[in-house]
Amino acid sequence: MDYLFLLAGLIGLFIGGEFLVRGSVGLARRMAIPPLLIGLTVVGFGTSTPELLVSVEAAWRGVPDIAVGNIVGSNIANILLIIGVSALVWPIKVMGATLRRDTAVMMAAVLVLMPIFAMREVGRLSGALLVAGLVAYLVWAYLRPGIVALEEEGVPAPSSVLVSSLWVLGGLVALMLGARFLVDGAVAIARGYGISEAFIGLTIVAVGTSLPELATSLIAALRRQSEIAIGNILGSGIFNVLGILGLTAMITPIPVAPRFLGFDLPVLIAVSLLLAVLLVMRPVIGRGVGVTMLVAYAAYIWAAQG
């Protein structure tokens, strides 16, 4: 039964994220919101909504390791797993000052976690500062337009306001149910097998909540839209740290286990730096790099068990 809850949660998150993004983009188009703003907010935040609901649910339920592990693990999976798979599908061309800007913001967001995690708790003040950082980034990105995490034209959407609203409502219901089932199943499996909740959060839950990003990047890779494939990951990484962790902490303070500061966060910083170097130094992220990233992710999963 626990595995059925886990599977139902994953399916609910994937379907809910897809419905929410499509419905939100449809509403934004009907309201004549600029495509840039749609990409930065509606779509960017929409694909990160599973992380938000799962982290809030886990924090409320008294399993903070899943809440923190979900965010840290999602960012690691986004870089090593999703970019690795996308590069295998089609080599990713790296170009544009916008990608460099978003890479710098992502690195800054990840590095900010070091002093926050050192305090052993992400409190409401820290959460508010993270959210303020996200707002500042969105304003900056809007005032200096370029390629965003997702182009509005790349997302199919309903044509009417009523249908779009129903998609949004259905997406939110599916996400909330999916988050509840996923947390229930993950906690039960972790306790049943003596696996740490942190490990479950860093792996199964993190990959599950990253399914919208995986689908988006794979579709972009198949369409040869390299900027979207990379921009989606950068935008998601920024939203996860500044928005998801910030909002969750503002709702309820999150204790941080020592393992996150001692192992998982350094890994996240290292892989983020690796991505930054690749984006600056290499014109193409090829299949060889993709294979290396996948091997590195498998090694991280193996090491994270301890």
Side-chain angles (χ1 to χ4, degrees):
M1 184 60 70
D2 296 332
Y3 290 101
L4 290 178
F5 278 162
L6 192 69
L7 179 61
L10 292 173
I11 294 173
L13 291 177
F14 184 77
I15 295 176
E18 180 72 12
F19 280 22
L20 179 64
V21 169
R22 291 193 182 198
S24 299
V25 171
L27 286 175
R29 287 177 182 170
R30 300 294 294 180
M31 297 169 64
I33 296 176
L36 174 65
L37 199 57
I38 296 175
L40 283 173
T41 56
V42 174
V43 178
F45 198 79
T47 56
S48 293
T49 304
E51 283 93 338
L52 173 62
L53 292 183
V54 168
S55 291
V56 170
E57 177 76 18
W60 266 341
R61 299 281 294 280
V63 279
D65 285 355
I66 288 183
V68 177
N70 173 42
I71 293 165
V72 175
S74 289
N75 276 18
I76 294 173
N78 283 350
I79 295 172
L80 295 180
L81 178 62
I82 297 179
I83 292 182
V85 171
S86 299
L88 282 181
V89 171
W90 191 259
I92 300 172
K93 293 182 180 179
V94 178
M95 62 184 71
T98 306
L99 289 182
R100 290 192 290 273
R101 176 197 69 193
D102 292 344
T103 302
V105 174
M106 183 194 69
M107 279 300 310
V110 169
L111 290 173
V112 163
L113 292 181
M114 192 64 88
I116 292 178
F117 280 16
M119 293 186 289
R120 296 290 190 266
E121 181 183 75
V122 187
R124 288 191 172 89
L125 177 58
S126 296
L129 291 175
L130 290 174
V131 172
L134 176 62
V135 172
Y137 160 71
L138 292 175
V139 171
W140 179 31
Y142 183 67
L143 293 177
R144 302 191 62 172
I147 298 166
V148 295
L150 266 173
E151 291 177 344
E152 174 237 5
E153 291 81 0
V155 181
S159 56
S160 72
V161 172
L162 176 60
V163 175
S164 296
S165 300
L166 291 175
W167 278 68
V168 170
L169 180 61
L172 288 173
V173 171
L175 282 169
M176 287 186 288
L177 291 175
R180 171 61 64 89
F181 287 152
L182 185 64
V183 172
D184 283 347
V187 171
I189 291 171
R191 291 175 177 170
Y193 285 93
I195 304 172
S196 72
E197 292 165 355
F199 178 70
I200 292 293
L202 287 161
T203 54
I204 297 175
V205 175
V207 173
T209 56
S210 292
L211 289 177
E213 287 89 345
L214 176 60
T216 299
S217 290
L218 282 179
I219 291 171
L222 289 170
R223 292 177 178 175
R224 315 292 192 264
Q225 296 173 317
S226 300
E227 295 88 349
I228 296 179
I230 288 289
N232 174 48
I233 300 305
L234 295 175
S236 176
I238 294 168
F239 271 104
N240 285 347
V241 174
L242 299 181
I244 308 307
L245 184 60
L247 286 172
T248 304
M250 288 177 67
I251 294 171
T252 177
I254 312 170
V256 178
R259 69 156 291 165
F260 291 112
L261 182 64
F263 176 68
D264 301 296
L265 181 57
V267 171
L268 174 57
I269 292 173
V271 299
S272 300
L273 183 60
L274 169 65
L275 178 60
V277 170
L278 288 173
L279 294 179
V280 171
M281 302 297 293
R282 297 177 67 92
V284 176
I285 299 177
R287 291 187 172 93
V289 175
V291 170
T292 303
M293 284 183 163
L294 293 177
V295 171
Y297 186 67
Y300 165 70
I301 295 298
W302 179 82
Q305 298 178 62

